Structures are given as structure tokens and as C-alpha cells.
């Protein structure tokens, strides 16, 4: 009787320990925070072109599929896994919105994308710095990527027609998306007409468009701009590309804008 009672308990405990060790291994190697995020918007069908895939692996468990992506010699941006068929497809690129919701071969597949936060505490340059004009307010360029949202100090350019900010990722990367945390105190409508570009040079004309956000935004909005398709590069620049539409605020005279963020998060993978 003791054996019948204790064996299920012992087996359950062993599974928990192995699962914890497995994910600690995935998160801890090379001191990199790697996430495998389930995409709830994925419609469960699989893109047909072969160039999407590094390879397809049959008879593989979910955990083994995750590990295969993590240990892949080629850069693995994520995977498709079918529990029904115990099959795993390693992806060489992030699936875009159109990829995730198109007319492809049907199935019961689940999409998980692998991503790291690339922007945390990286060097920041901008067209101007509000702190140079009003240092007592406490806005700093580095607040753009310090990992803190809804703090008194923010990233804030001065008032100009086309303000911009560039984040140096310090390595060539594949960019999945850019998340903008609009200011949470007030004046959120000032965020509009943002274009995001990626490149190996920080020169605007030499960069490639990742995506755009027409706006206008509202105070406290969190906006995700997905690169379609995924972009490669070291530098990411966000720029307001149209004069200010606001007419009832004297600070916006002559079309002047200001870029103000609580935080910007760039998700993707280092190459």
C-alpha cells in the first residue's frame, strides 16, 4: 500500500524538478534572458515555402523542440510544434501578421517565437535632449532603455519639427518588434507619425523601414510595432516624420514635436 501511495507522489516531484532545471538551463546559458512566447494570434496553420524553415524534426516532444531551437547552429527565431503529430519545425525568421493569418496547409500547430530584449541599457543618441534646456526636470536619454516605466524621469527630446532617437544595440541583430511605452503622466496625444527604421548605419537615409505608427496615441498607451518582414541591423531609430497636428497648444507652434517615452523595448535576437 505504501508503494502505491508514494510512487505517484515521487514521480510527480521528479517531473517538477526536471522541468525547473530545464527552463533554468534555457534561461541561464550565456547569461541571456531568452523567452519562447506563445503567439495566441497564430491560426494553427503552417506556411508552405521551404525558406521559412531551418529543418523539420519528427517524433519530438515540446521540451525537446524548444531545446533544439535553443541549440541550433543556424539562428532559430522560433518554432512550430504539433502535439497531435509530435512534430517540430524550426524557423529561420519571425512570422509576420500575414504569415500567421494566411491561407496555408491546415493543422493543429502552435507557434512560439524566441526573443531577447535587445535594448536594455544600450547607448542612446537623440536629435535633442530636454535635459540640456531644463535640467531641473530630471529627464535623461538613458531613461529610454533603463527597464523602468511610469517613473518621474522620462526620455524627452526638446521641441523641434522632426525629433528622433537612435538605440545602438552594439551587435548585428534580427528585430522582431519595437514596443513604445507612451508617457503615463499627460500629453500622450503628442505621440504620432512615428517611423521606425533599422540598419547597420545610424544614418536615416541608409536605414530600412521596420514599421510605422500613425497615431495619435493616448496617455499611457503601450504600442507594439512589428517589423514586416523582420529586419536586420545594429541601429534602431524612431522618428516623428510629420509636423505636429496639434493646434490648441502654443508649444506645438510651427509644427514642433517632441518625442517622449517612458520606455522603448526592442525584441529580437542577436546574430
Amino acid at each position: 500500500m505504501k508503494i502505491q501511495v508514494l510512487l505517484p507522489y515521487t514521480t510527480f516531484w521528479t517531473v517538477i524538478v526536471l522541468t525547473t532545471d530545464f527552463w533554468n538551463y534555457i534561461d541561464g546559458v550565456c547569461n541571456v534572458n531568452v523567452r519562447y512566447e506563445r503567439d495566441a494570434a497564430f491560426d494553427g496553420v503552417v506556411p508552405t515555402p521551404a525558406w521559412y524553415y531551418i529543418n523539420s524534426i519528427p517524433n519530438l516532444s515540446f521540451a525537446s523542440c524548444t531545446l533544439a531551437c535553443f541549440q541550433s547552429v543556424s539562428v532559430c527565431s522560433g518554432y512550430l510544434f504539433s502535439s497531435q503529430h509530435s512534430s517540430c519545425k524550426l524557423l529561420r525568421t519571425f512570422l509576420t501578421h500575414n504569415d500567421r493569418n494566411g491561407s496555408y496547409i491546415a493543422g493543429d500547430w502552435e507557434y512560439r517565437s524566441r526573443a531577447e530584449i535587445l535594448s536594455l541599457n544600450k547607448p542612446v543618441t537623440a536629435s535633442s535632449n530636454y535635459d540640456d534646456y531644463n535640467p531641473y526636470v530630471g529627464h535623461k536619454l538613458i531613461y529610454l532603455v533603463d527597464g523602468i516605466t511610469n517613473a518621474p524621469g522620462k526620455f524627452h527630446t526638446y521641441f523641434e519639427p522632426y525629433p528622433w532617437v537612435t538605440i545602438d544595440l552594439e551587435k548585428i541583430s534580427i528585430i522582431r518588434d519595437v514596443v513604445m511605452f507612451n508617457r503615463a503622466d499627460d500629453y500622450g496625444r503628442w505621440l504620432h507619425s512615428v517611423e521606425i527604421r533599422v540598419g547597420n548605419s545610424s544614418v536615416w537615409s541608409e536605414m530600412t523601414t521596420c514599421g510605422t505608427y500613425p497615431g495619435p496615441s493616448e496617455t499611457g498607451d503601450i504600442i507594439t510595432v512589428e517589423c514586416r518582414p523582420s529586419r536586420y541591423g545594429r541601429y534602431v531609430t524612431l522618428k516623428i516624420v510629420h509636423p505636429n497636428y496639434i493646434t490648441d497648444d502654443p508649444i506645438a507652434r510651427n509644427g514642433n514635436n517632441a518625442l517622449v517615452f517612458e520606455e522603448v523595448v526592442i525584441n529580437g535576437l542577436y546574430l
Side-chain angles (χ1 to χ4, degrees), residues 66-78:
T66 304
L67 190 60
C69 183
F70 181 75
Q71 294 180 329
S72 174
V73 174
S74 302
V75 175
C76 178
S77 66

Side-chain angles (χ1 to χ4, degrees), residues 35-156:
R35 311 186 310 280
Y36 288 85
E37 301 172 342
R38 182 179 182 275
D39 191 333
F42 182 60
D43 59 4
V45 296
V46 179
T48 54
W51 59 264
Y52 277 93
Y53 307 108
I54 299 170
N55 57 15
S56 297
I57 311 171
N59 303 318
L60 210 62
S61 68
F62 169 75
S64 297
C65 185
T66 304
L67 190 60
C69 183
F70 181 75
Q71 294 180 329
S72 174
V73 174
S74 302
V75 175
C76 178
S77 66
Y79 57 84
L80 296 168
F81 178 76
S82 169
S83 57
Q84 180 179 343
H85 300 96
S86 297
S87 185
C88 172
K89 294 179 180 291
L90 303 186
L91 293 161
R92 66 176 70 255
T93 186
F94 294 112
L95 298 186
T96 68
H97 175 78
N98 290 335
D99 296 327
R100 295 195 303 267
N101 297 276
S103 298
Y104 303 109
I105 299 172
D108 68 327
W109 298 81
E110 175 181 330
Y111 170 45
R112 288 186 181 252
S113 60
R114 173 184 175 184
E116 304 165 21
I117 296 177
L118 307 177
S119 50
L120 187 64
N121 295 323
K122 292 300 192 295
V124 174
T125 56
S127 54
S128 60
N129 184 3
Y130 192 88
D131 188 62
D132 293 339
Y133 299 87
N134 296 290
Y136 59 88
V137 177
H139 298 322
K140 305 288 184 183
L141 296 186
I142 194 59
Y143 290 164
L144 183 72
V145 291
D146 64 354
I148 301 171
T149 60
N150 198 16
K154 309 180 189 313
F155 166 85
H156 198 317

Side-chain angles (χ1 to χ4, degrees), residues 214-234:
S217 181
E218 295 182 0
T219 300
D221 276 356
I222 301 173
I223 304 133
T224 299
V225 177
E226 182 183 65
C227 289
R228 301 181 183 177
S230 303
R231 297 299 185 190
Y232 296 80
R234 170 175 171 171

